[in-house]
Every structure is written in structure tokens, then in C-alpha cells.
Amino acid sequence: YEQIRSRADEFLCLSLSFTKDCLQNRNRFLVDRSSACIAFLRRRRSGTGSTVAYALQEGIPVVNLAERL
């Protein structure tokens, strides 16, 4: 992790510690700054499912790779 981070052009930390909602906050942060969403979604009731639902709600086009298998 540190080796990869040290090579990054930019690093942004959204949470200094793990909280019950930090993963959802990260996912929404990514969607809010994206023009498209690529996912591998098999179960709608999941973190990925919530992120895909949020992207669709925000008008972001979603490609679900699981549907292509």
C-alpha cells in the first residue's frame, strides 16, 4: 500500500479511521466525480448495488460486466 501510495501523483484521504459509513462515502465521492460507472454486480442488495443505484439516480450511465457473462 505505501509503495503504491508513494508513486501516486495525488493522494486524498476521505477518512482517517474506519467508520460504518466510510465505504459508502468513498463510493459516493467516486460517483460524484465520474462520467460513467463500470461495475460487476450480481446482488442488488450489496455495497456495489447501492453504488450502482446511486449512480443511476444521479444520471450516470452504468455498465454491469456481470450481465455480459
Side-chain angles (χ1 to χ4, degrees):
Y1 169 81
E2 290 299 332
Q3 184 180 23
I4 294 169
R5 182 178 159 189
S6 70
R7 293 180 179 190
D9 293 331
E10 184 177 345
F11 174 77
L12 178 64
C13 181
L14 299 178
S15 178
L16 295 176
S17 62
F18 187 86
T19 63
K20 66 180 180 76
D21 59 348
C22 69
L23 297 178
Q24 181 181 26
N25 291 341
R26 177 209 55 198
N27 293 345
R28 286 183 172 228
F29 178 88
L30 292 171
V31 168
D32 289 342
R33 288 153 182 80
S34 298
S35 58
C37 176
I38 301 171
F40 191 90
L41 176 63
R42 288 191 170 160
R43 292 179 292 123
R44 296 276 173 199
R45 295 184 64 177
S46 65
T48 302
S50 295
T51 303
V52 166
Y54 178 69
L56 292 170
Q57 174 187 316
E58 295 299 306
I60 305 293
V62 174
V63 175
N64 182 3
L65 298 177
E67 293 174 350
R68 296 174 182 239
L69 294 179

